[in-house]
Amino acid sequence: MLDKLNQPKGSTIGVLKDGRTIQEAFDQLDPVVSLSSTVSLATAVARLQITGGTIVVPAGTWEVPNLLNVPPSIQIIGRGNSSILKQPASSTSKGVLQFVLNNPTDSVRVDNLSIVTERPYQADNIAIRVDLRPQLSGDQIANRNVSRGSLTNLSIRGSTARTDGVSFGIGIDLVSTGWITLDNIHVIGSSSTATPYGFRGVGICQRGDGKPVETIIRGLRAVSLEYAYLCPEYTEGVYLTDSQAVNCKWGVVVSPVADYVIGKLGQVGGYQFVVDQFHPNVSQGGIFLSKCRYSFVSNVMAILDDHSVSSAVLTVHLRDCSYCNVNAVTAVSYNVNGTTGITRQVVVINNTSDSFVGNISGRTEGTQYENLTNIVRLVNNSQRNEIEGVKGSNANEGISVGAGCGQNSIAKYRFSNVTTPVLDEAGDLNRGNTAAHYETVTPPSDSQEVTLEIVPRGYFSRRPQGFSYTITTPTNASFPIVVFYDRDSSTPTKVVLKVKSGVLGNNLPTVMIGISITLHD
């Protein structure tokens, strides 16, 4: 019997019912298979098809001419950027790796690899697809106690320069996939040499015929793509952090995009969608959330350059949202191509209610560039939103509230070289801004009233609605000194106050009077 077991591979002696030799059966029990000159990735997958195990990709370039359906029981581990899976130019396949999770315990792991293509861009050419639809569909949210795996330390790109049109259509495609972690993912797209800023491709696409839920995405570095991250269908509990989108059209988009919608539920938007510590360097938009609830955008540093290929550029746009929070957003707009007539906005609140926008800073990089259109803009029936701590320079409008919006409030805004600090087309804006001044005046002899004019520091776009004051000197006046607000004579750029004796018929003292004044918008 032992002699039969030692027969060479391929021997007809000791053949199992499924056609494999006993030696081949033993080989397939090996939990680790390393690629070699005689073992391709497809061979390794076939060898571990039944038993599962680990495929080790050594340093080197390994061609994958056809899409490989990898069983979830197999994990693929490389040796770093030197371990390259290459889709050759001759391939007609629609991807490299595909994992379909059929069972509640299935998971996926791909780590420490470079996946490259030599094929020109095609939207349906996908580097890695993970499909959980067999386990997650409709309203079913199950198996939250089971991790569905991880994709980590991956570089996905074309094999040549990013401007020659060689790239994947989608780097990582998550279809109805939840409970998965993506960490340190680097995706490079492409554009044609004829349109150097016409970027194409998606870094991470999270979509599908179900509800993608509870996904962690850390360290996404997306370069030269149309979308760094795109979710054209409903998602819940996504946390995207510590990521960058450089030379992309769009950074993060949660909104239907027809070319990428594959589901049948008709659900769009997000619930508890979080973007934190994100740097978009984009030509159209940094973050666009549509139909999102209880979602957060925070700690964003945006560089906006339309490259003369976009008619509108914005940093954060909330559309049809509620109970959201946008906090700590800084945006700098460039216009190195000298194009004018571009709409440039930092935060747009569009048909959005009960949300908070705070600590927003926007400017153009120097006055030689075209001004921002708005720093914060509320439009289309946006209701009950709170705006606080908006700063900016080189803009046409600071905070703009459109007609039809209502019950919104603003406070603590400061602007420089902004034509209209606050534009209230709605008419019921609650403004909580204040401006402090210290003024002195020495009345002439025999004077019962002195006029004091104050120039506000550009914090108001209307006459202040009120003021408060304290007389600091003299401290030993024998009668009260009072200050009145002459509203009828005041303008947004000149506030007129009347300093009078508090006792009828008494003259003001001919000494310096110091007044601490707070103007209220």
Side-chain angles (χ1 to χ4, degrees), residues 214-343:
E214 296 165 8
T215 305
I216 296 175
I217 302 172
R218 292 187 297 252
L220 170 63
R221 290 173 293 165
V223 181
S224 302
L225 293 158
E226 184 171 11
Y227 302 97
Y229 171 94
L230 173 63
C231 182
E233 295 165 305
Y234 189 80
T235 186
E236 294 181 2
V238 173
Y239 187 69
L240 194 160
T241 185
D242 298 326
S243 297
Q244 299 174 334
V246 179
N247 277 346
C248 293
K249 286 185 181 180
W250 290 92
V252 173
V253 172
V254 180
S255 182
V257 175
D259 291 345
Y260 299 95
V261 173
I262 63 174
K264 301 176 182 178
L265 297 177
Q267 293 185 325
V268 297
Y271 184 86
Q272 300 178 40
F273 192 97
V274 176
V275 181
D276 185 39
Q277 299 287 353
F278 182 56
H279 169 50
N281 181 331
V282 295
S283 60
Q284 287 189 240
I287 300 166
F288 182 36
L289 304 185
S290 178
K291 295 185 180 299
C292 288
R293 293 180 298 151
Y294 304 106
S295 298
F296 288 77
V297 175
S298 56
N299 300 307
V300 174
M301 172 61 220
I303 301 296
L304 308 170
D305 189 346
D306 61 271
H307 296 302
S308 295
V309 296
S310 303
S311 60
V313 184
L314 57 90
T315 302
V316 179
H317 187 167
L318 302 186
R319 184 181 68 186
D320 304 334
C321 297
S322 60
Y323 304 102
C324 293
N325 187 306
V326 178
N327 185 54
V329 174
T330 298
V332 180
S333 179
Y334 290 82
N335 182 23
V336 296
N337 299 83
T339 308
T340 59
I342 305 297
T343 300

Side-chain angles (χ1 to χ4, degrees), residues 474-481 509:
T475 58
N476 56 351
S478 58
F479 54 83
I481 298 172

Side-chain angles (χ1 to χ4, degrees), residues 79-143:
R79 304 296 192 189
N81 289 332
S82 58
S83 298
I84 301 171
L85 301 182
K86 184 178 74 173
Q87 181 187 58
S90 59
S91 172
T92 59
S93 179
K94 293 186 177 181
V96 177
L97 303 177
Q98 177 168 278
F99 297 82
V100 179
L101 280 59
N102 289 287
N103 300 304
T105 58
D106 283 348
S107 65
V108 59
R109 182 185 175 192
V110 182
D111 187 19
N112 264 354
L113 284 177
S114 286
I115 302 178
V116 303
T117 183
E118 293 182 334
R119 292 176 56 192
Y121 167 85
Q122 286 185 288
D124 58 358
N125 188 22
I126 299 168
I128 301 175
R129 169 177 278 184
V130 182
D131 193 338
L132 192 61
R133 280 177 294 180
Q135 280 295 300
L136 182 66
S137 62
D139 293 328
Q140 178 190 4
I141 302 294
N143 306 316

Side-chain angles (χ1 to χ4, degrees), residues 136-156:
L136 182 66
S137 62
D139 293 328
Q140 178 190 4
I141 302 294
N143 306 316
R144 287 177 181 242
N145 61 332
V146 177
S147 170
R148 309 319 292 262
S150 63
L151 306 174
T152 58
N153 304 317
L154 302 178
S155 175
I156 300 171

